[in-house]
Amino acid sequence: MSSSASQSSRHTATWPLVKRLAGSYLLPHRASLALALFMMTLDAAATGALAKLMEPMIDDIFTQQRASALWPVAGAVFAAFVVRGIAGYLHAVLLNRVGQRIVANVQSALFGHLMQADLAYFHANPSGNLISRLVNDVSLMRNAVAECLTGIGKSTLSLLILVGVMFHQDWGLSIIAFTAFPLAAFALARIGRRLRRVSARTQHELGVFATFLGQTFQGVRHVKAYGMEGHEVRRVDGMVEKLFSLTNKGFRTSAMLTPINEVVSGIAIVTVIVYGGMQVISGANSAGSLLSFITAFMLAFDPMKKLSKLNAQLQVGLAAAERVFEVLDTQPEIVERPDAAVLPRAVHDVRFQDVHFRYDGGREALDGLDLEVPAGRMVALVGASGAGKSTVLNLIPRFYDVIGGRVMVGGHDVRDLTLASLRANIAIVSQETALFDETVRANIAYGRADASEAEIVQAARDAAAHDFIMELPDGYDTMVGEQGVKLSGGQRQRIAIARAMLKNAPVLLLDEATSALDSESERAIQEALKRLQKGRTTLVIAHRLSTIIDADRIYVLENGKVVEWGTHAELIRHGGPYSRYHALQAGFERAAAG
């Protein structure tokens, strides 16, 4: 899933999108659709009957004054209205339920698909854009599908039956009345295509806007610290103005349907009045027959107008569906092989054999890397920023795939293992803590829903987090806020470490796990991590070299390659890059202490 979900330059034709929606999501609701179709047919037939009943009402009751026809015609009219009311309600409820269920299924499928996406996909597509597709686009799909399912079927059937009544009454007059409609249909089709393009651009800009808002709110501390409030307001003003322009353009485009409908209606009605009136005056037709025709014609205008508006709404919904399907059609690149093996839960070794890797379009982050983390041992990675340390950690749980060489866990190429079993053997604590707007308890137990209260508390104690948790307003039930905003950096880190401890995985990956802690907390955490590391395979990215003195092996990375490795004492004696890093850091620490 490496391609970006950016605004598509090409638009899928209407019919393939409609066919896909129908084929993939309508078929499971065949029974409800069949019953709704029957109710729509009754509704449309009752509407046609009302138009037809105008003829006996005028000719038999009003003109010939036949009293015997009064109650039967009145009863038939009342029955038609009752049938329309009941059938209209039932088919509307049935189709609305089907439409809402279809879009709910699409929304669930979209989120489920995104959860299977590669990490690279989320890096390539801003979160606001993806949220916009899940919320805004799916909402537009919901409106379009629910309204169009309910409206198009009923309006089409009503129109067909009413046109049938018109042709039954006077086929010549019907042909004359409909001469203007092909031109109107052509104009409406052009408007629909234009509206779809505008809607697609609007949804894209909404995604950009949502991304910007998310980034600004998360970085509001920096905005205020640098006095950039005015700058951010001006940026938002520009985006809001662009959205205003697009939405206004979309409304103007859809509003063009009204004058087209009214002009066509006026032409058709005048034609019917003049031509039909001349027939009645000459005696070629009765007044009742003409009124029945005019009634059917007037009633037919309502579904015709609705169909034109529904077409506009359908085009907006299809533009949203196109964006949703674009995400659903993007397949992940990190996939399991059909014969993938299950990695048993055990203390495994980790090996990199001539590993090459690069991020999209960049230079090689790892260039022929070879390293080994023996089972049950602690190995540390040291190097300047950009040396490839975090990339090494990302390749072990297979967040990315190598472009050359092999990453081995327990003697297996990670590409030959099921993702679930591989990641179940690995616990990660990163310098970037990921907490959810949930309770402290839920954040610690994330990934271990079956964990007992005693296990959660013990994990917190081991991470030196229990004491500060008990001082929170609601203890373990305290909500931590978005990204743990209600906690300090050190507190967030200790919650993340407690989560890893609770997982109790045999392979432990620590990415500068104590970087956000003060010295006192760091000492407590280091003691806890030493207990956790016993009997486990541990790979550590070190920020403070003093924390890895006891590592069984230290690898020094530069430009994606191992330039030296050994124990702390061996590397100090060697006098290479590690020795220089150590001397430099020791100098800074002495200066800070002085």
Side-chain angles (χ1 to χ4, degrees):
M1 216 175 195
S2 58
S3 62
S4 172
S6 60
Q7 186 181 12
S8 178
S9 58
R10 295 185 298 108
H11 296 288
T12 307
T14 298
W15 175 241
L17 281 172
V18 174
K19 185 178 179 181
R20 179 173 181 179
L21 275 171
S24 301
Y25 299 100
L26 276 178
L27 287 180
H29 306 282
R30 288 187 294 268
S32 296
L33 290 171
L35 181 58
L37 181 62
F38 176 71
M39 292 298 166
M40 282 191 292
T41 304
L42 286 180
D43 189 348
T47 302
L50 284 174
K52 181 63 179 174
L53 286 168
M54 292 299 104
E55 184 175 1
M57 185 184 298
I58 298 299
D59 291 343
D60 295 346
I61 299 175
F62 296 155
T63 303
Q64 298 182 21
Q65 298 183 349
R66 287 174 53 194
S68 59
L70 180 60
W71 287 107
V73 171
V77 170
F78 180 72
F81 276 105
V82 170
V83 170
R84 284 186 68 191
I86 295 174
Y89 169 79
L90 290 176
H91 87 71
V93 169
L94 283 167
L95 288 180
N96 181 72
R97 185 178 185 280
V98 170
Q100 300 290 359
R101 172 50 56 196
I102 287 171
V103 178
N105 290 343
V106 170
Q107 199 163 30
S108 295
L110 181 60
F111 183 76
H113 188 75
L114 284 170
M115 287 298 96
Q116 301 303 316
D118 304 330
L119 200 60
Y121 183 81
F122 289 97
H123 291 167
N125 294 279
S127 60
N129 187 25
L130 298 178
I131 292 170
S132 178
R133 303 208 180 195
L134 269 165
V135 178
N136 297 330
D137 289 337
V138 174
S139 178
L140 289 175
M141 282 182 66
R142 174 176 283 112
N143 294 336
V145 171
E147 292 293 329
C148 292
L149 270 179
T150 304
I152 287 179
K154 176 185 175 181
S155 297
T156 301
L157 285 171
S158 298
L159 184 60
L160 289 174
I161 289 176
L162 289 168
V163 170
V165 171
M166 291 167 60
F167 273 88
H168 175 73
Q169 295 299 113
D170 192 326
W171 63 268
L173 187 58
S174 298
I175 293 174
I176 294 172
F178 282 102
T179 52
F181 285 95
L183 182 61
F186 175 75
L188 292 176
R190 288 180 59 87
I191 289 173
R193 287 193 296 270
R194 184 178 179 187
L195 188 60
R196 186 166 156 191
R197 288 194 298 269
V198 173
S199 177
R201 288 179 57 196
T202 303
Q203 293 308 304
H204 173 72
E205 292 301 329
L206 277 172
V208 173
F209 186 49
T211 297
F212 173 79
L213 292 179
Q215 292 174 346
T216 304
F217 293 153
Q218 287 182 8
V220 68
R221 181 182 180 188
H222 299 285
V223 172
K224 292 184 175 296
Y226 286 90
M228 295 297 286
E229 294 93 338
H231 172 72
E232 300 301 340
V233 168
R234 287 190 294 274
R235 290 176 68 187
V236 166
D237 286 345
M239 294 180 185
V240 169
E241 196 62 31
K242 183 180 288 187
L243 281 170
F244 166 77
S245 177
L246 285 170
T247 52
N248 193 41
K249 184 177 181 180
F251 180 81
R252 288 200 314 271
T253 302
S254 62
M256 290 174 64
L257 297 170
T258 300
I260 292 174
N261 281 330
E262 293 302 322
V263 170
V264 171
S265 301
I267 294 172
I269 289 174
V270 168
T271 302
V272 168
I273 291 173
V274 173
Y275 182 80
M278 291 173 62
Q279 284 187 312
V280 172
I281 292 170
S282 66
N285 205 351
S286 69
S289 178
L290 178 62
L291 184 59
S292 175
F293 180 91
I294 292 175
T295 301
F297 189 62
M298 297 294 288
L299 287 173
F301 264 106
D302 182 57
M304 279 192 286
K305 288 178 180 179
K306 284 183 178 178
L307 283 173
S308 65
K309 291 180 180 179
L310 285 170
N311 176 61
Q313 194 168 12
L314 176 64
Q315 294 303 323
V316 172
L318 288 177
E322 190 173 19
R323 284 167 49 84
V324 168
F325 287 145
E326 183 185 6
V327 176
L328 287 173
D329 290 340
T330 307
Q331 296 302 314
E333 294 180 359
I334 308 296
V335 294
E336 292 180 1
R337 292 175 177 172
D339 58 346
V342 175
L343 181 67
R345 190 176 179 86
V347 179
H348 301 288
D349 67 326
V350 177
R351 294 185 181 185
F352 281 64
Q353 298 178 345
D354 191 28
V355 170
H356 294 259
F357 177 79
R358 71 167 58 90
Y359 295 98
D360 285 343
R363 66 174 180 83
E364 284 200 352
L366 299 180
D367 184 10
L369 182 75
D370 288 290
L371 62 81
E372 179 183 0
V373 186
R377 300 294 183 178
M378 174 187 172
V379 170
L381 301 180
V382 174
S385 177
K389 305 185 299 297
S390 294
T391 301
V392 170
L393 262 60
N394 283 331
L395 291 177
I396 297 172
R398 207 183 167 201
F399 292 151
Y400 299 91
D401 268 344
V402 300
I403 61 174
R406 296 192 301 173
V407 177
M408 312 284 288
V409 175
H412 301 274
D413 189 321
V414 293
R415 291 168 294 188
D416 295 331
L417 299 169
T418 63
L419 290 172
S421 67
L422 171 65
R423 293 170 183 173
N425 277 273
I426 300 171
I428 302 175
V429 180
S430 172
Q431 58 184 323
E432 300 173 359
T433 56
L435 299 187
F436 301 94
D437 189 11
E438 260 284 5
T439 63
V440 170
R441 177 185 291 101
N443 273 285
I444 294 175
Y446 191 76
R448 276 282 313 274
D450 60 339
S452 67
E453 182 72 12
E455 289 175 315
I456 293 171
V457 172
Q458 186 58 50
R461 289 184 185 277
D462 290 341
H466 177 73
D467 291 343
F468 87 75
I469 291 173
M470 295 308 296
E471 293 175 359
L472 296 174
D474 297 312
Y476 282 84
D477 292 317
T478 302
M479 300 293 290
V480 303
E482 185 180 9
Q483 296 294 326
V485 69
K486 296 180 181 179
L487 304 177
S488 70
Q491 289 172 337
R492 289 196 297 269
Q493 196 73 298
R494 279 179 275 179
I495 295 291
I497 292 171
R499 178 192 296 162
M501 289 180 166
L502 185 63
K503 187 174 183 180
N504 199 25
V507 177
L508 184 62
L509 307 179
L510 304 176
D511 185 358
E512 299 188 13
T514 61
S515 62
L517 303 179
D518 54 65
S519 299
E520 182 178 350
S521 296
E522 184 182 6
R523 283 193 295 271
I525 289 296
Q526 286 297 337
E527 292 176 4
L529 289 177
K530 284 180 181 178
R531 293 194 299 270
L532 181 64
Q533 291 165 12
K534 287 182 180 179
R536 288 177 171 79
T537 304
T538 306
L539 184 60
V540 181
I541 292 179
H543 175 67
R544 295 189 182 101
L545 300 185
S546 58
T547 63
I548 59 167
I549 292 175
D550 296 329
D552 296 291
R553 187 176 298 173
I554 299 170
Y555 286 93
V556 181
L557 273 59
E558 288 184 2
N559 298 320
K561 296 180 180 180
V562 174
V563 293
E564 63 176 355
W565 64 274
T567 64
H568 171 77
E570 289 170 345
L571 293 174
I572 291 294
R573 286 197 301 270
H574 185 261
Y578 180 84
S579 178
R580 292 193 295 272
Y581 291 148
H582 186 268
L584 185 63
Q585 194 169 104
F588 281 130
E589 290 175 355
R590 284 195 298 270

